[in-house]
Amino acid sequence: MQTITTTQELAAFCADAQNAEYVTVDTEFLRERTYYSKLCLIQLALPGKSDENAVLVDPLEGDLSLDPLLELFRNPDVVKVFHAARQDLEIFYIDHGVIPEPLFDTQVAAMVCGFGEQVGYETLVKRIARQPLDKSSRFTDWSRRPLTDAQKTYALADVTHLRQIYEFLDGKLKESGRDRWVAEELAVLTNPDTYVTHPDEAWKRVKTRSSSPRFLALVQTLSAFRETYAQTRNIPRNRVYKDDALVELASTKPQNMNDLGRSRLLLREARKGPIAEGILAAVQKGLSVPKEDLPKPDTSRDKLQVNPALADLLRVLLKAKTESSGVASKLIAPSAELDAIAAGLRDVPALSGWRHEVFGADALRLCDGEIALTAKGKQVKVIDL
């Protein structure tokens, strides 16, 4: 089992990889104590059956530059294979400005191939590679050195079995003509905007019960300060203050340090120093936002006139399409989109791209009264009217 700790070793492996059809990739990282993930280990494997062409790359040991790997990531002739790639890709984009392409995500491919919603790597190993997987090192501290043999074995298995899973799923997709479907889904993962959090947009992730524009302005400014503070100091946003404390601050509108001291939910560290000063400044900023610039909640779908009978029929149609196509239902159309269609909206993802082929076309025909649904035994079938 080779562990690469020098740029020269990494360059030699990547030189071989430049001529390969694909390379499987995984990472181990820590994020509990930081805003950005700390990369601790990279696992790579070239096509084959043994561990001989699989390596561990240790960025925490020795004198190592990842430039040879980044060059491999940019090679358009080598497919980069991940499972549930989002967090891995975020690391390489944030740290190095690179998103590996062409990309293949076995979790996305498995959903299209009928393995269910957000299927785990362990499940695919059992069902496709038919191998057991030791997950005892799953919650280990990957920043500690030296790594144990058990840790190395665990880490390497995340890319060696991935080869067989990729080859199986890639074959299924090409056979069924669904490789284009997966490409559509991967467009989000290869978009750099997916991995950038803009402080002024952070407030949209905070769950609130009030839709008052002034209250939302305070949520926006308090969220922006928290995000900026966490990013610049590389600490988790919840270490600054948690969402419930943020909502409390937006409601109580503290004006001074004494007001902050009366907060029930604010961390002790946030009641003084730069965080406290930032909170008070954010509150004043939120209170001074001109009325015409106040954020407005998206209420476009709050007053939708959903036809409940049609929504139920769409759910039956979706179930029938899920069973016939083998594609996970939530990947085709979540419940909210079915309600939107039943209310007359047409700008929903379920009605475009590959989803239109699988479900959207018949969903529109159902809405227009051109088809009906009938049950035959345990199956639901579509009939033309």
Side-chain angles (χ1 to χ4, degrees):
M1 185 185 307
Q2 182 185 6
T3 301
I4 290 176
T5 58
T6 69
T7 306
Q8 184 178 4
E9 293 173 322
L10 180 59
F13 177 86
C14 291
D16 291 337
Q18 299 285 3
N19 300 312
E21 178 186 345
Y22 67 85
V23 57
T24 56
V25 189
D26 190 36
T27 68
E28 306 298 341
F29 56 87
L30 292 181
R31 199 172 191 170
E32 289 80 8
R33 297 184 293 272
T34 57
Y35 184 91
Y36 300 106
S37 297
K38 178 183 179 181
L39 181 61
C40 299
L41 194 68
I42 306 169
Q43 304 97 282
L44 304 167
L46 301 181
K49 303 297 183 182
S50 68
D51 292 350
E52 293 179 0
N53 52 357
V55 298
L56 303 176
V57 180
D58 192 342
L60 303 185
E61 288 277 2
D63 179 20
L64 176 66
S65 167
L66 293 183
D67 286 349
L69 179 62
L70 303 179
E71 183 180 349
L72 175 62
F73 283 169
R74 296 187 185 99
N75 186 337
D77 298 322
V78 182
V79 179
K80 274 64 74 171
V81 182
F82 293 78
H83 179 80
R86 193 188 188 288
Q87 288 185 300
D88 302 311
L89 299 184
E90 180 181 19
I91 292 172
F92 292 119
Y93 181 73
I94 295 298
D95 290 352
H96 303 285
V98 173
I99 295 178
E101 290 191 78
L103 175 72
F104 191 98
D105 189 321
T106 55
Q107 186 178 71
V108 175
M111 287 193 286
V112 171
C113 289
F115 285 84
E117 297 164 9
Q118 295 185 321
V119 59
Y121 179 66
E122 185 175 5
T123 299
L124 294 182
V125 171
K126 290 179 180 178
R127 294 178 61 180
I128 296 176
R130 301 192 181 282
Q131 295 290 329
L133 196 63
D134 179 12
K135 303 298 286 185
S136 59
S137 297
R138 179 183 302 180
F139 300 110
T140 191
D141 183 349
W142 291 100
S143 67
R144 297 187 65 179
R145 295 295 183 272
L147 295 173
T148 66
D149 288 342
Q151 287 176 304
K152 293 180 180 181
T153 300
Y154 164 87
L156 207 63
D158 281 347
V159 288
T160 52
H161 296 312
L162 193 56
R163 297 175 297 195
Q164 188 174 350
I165 293 169
Y166 163 68
E167 291 174 4
F168 176 85
L169 294 175
D170 186 51
K172 292 272 286 185
L173 291 171
K174 289 176 179 175
E175 180 183 335
S176 63
R178 294 181 179 182
D179 45 347
R180 176 175 52 83
W181 299 7
V182 173
E184 284 185 34
E185 295 305 298
L186 295 182
V188 174
L189 290 177
T190 55
N191 184 347
D193 290 341
T194 301
Y195 308 104
V196 178
T197 301
H198 299 286
D200 287 342
E201 299 293 319
W203 69 282
K204 296 178 180 178
R205 293 196 310 266
V206 180
K207 294 181 180 179
T208 64
R209 294 183 179 179
S210 173
S211 58
S212 160
R214 182 61 63 186
F215 172 81
L216 292 178
L218 287 158
V219 171
Q220 183 179 38
T221 55
L222 286 164
S223 297
F225 164 70
R226 179 178 68 170
E227 207 72 21
T228 301
Y229 190 92
Q231 287 179 354
T232 55
R233 289 161 177 79
N234 195 23
I235 60 174
R237 63 175 66 88
N238 283 347
R239 285 269 302 276
V240 185
Y241 41 83
K242 297 182 179 180
D243 282 3
D244 55 358
L246 188 154
V247 172
E248 179 193 42
L249 293 169
S251 300
T252 58
K253 310 176 190 62
Q255 301 296 302
N256 51 53
M257 294 294 182
N258 288 334
D259 291 344
L260 282 181
R262 287 192 285 270
S263 170
R264 295 185 303 109
L265 303 174
L266 200 61
L267 297 172
R268 182 177 301 176
E269 295 79 4
R271 299 167 188 255
K272 57 185 178 181
I275 296 180
E277 293 170 2
I279 290 173
L280 295 177
V283 169
Q284 290 305 311
K285 184 176 180 180
L287 292 174
S288 62
V289 173
K291 187 175 181 180
E292 61 271 17
D293 294 333
L294 291 174
K296 297 177 178 59
D298 183 7
T299 59
S300 59
R301 298 194 177 188
D302 290 351
K303 298 179 181 179
L304 288 179
Q305 299 297 312
V306 178
N307 181 329
L310 180 56
D312 288 341
L313 286 174
L314 287 168
R315 284 169 171 78
V316 175
L317 176 64
L318 177 61
K319 189 175 189 304
K321 295 296 185 178
T322 296
E323 291 175 353
S324 63
S325 67
V327 182
S329 61
K330 287 186 179 179
L331 185 64
I332 299 174
S335 182
E337 289 187 19
L338 299 180
D339 290 339
I341 296 171
L345 295 188
R346 297 295 179 260
D347 59 337
V348 295
L351 300 180
S352 63
W354 67 265
R355 292 173 174 83
H356 182 267
E357 299 176 34
V358 176
F359 169 76
D362 277 345
L364 291 174
R365 294 176 67 206
L366 182 65
C367 293
D368 292 339
E370 297 176 4
I371 61 172
L373 304 176
T374 182
K376 186 176 182 180
K378 294 183 178 180
Q379 289 186 322
V380 173
K381 294 190 175 182
V382 174
I383 57 174
D384 290 312
L385 297 178

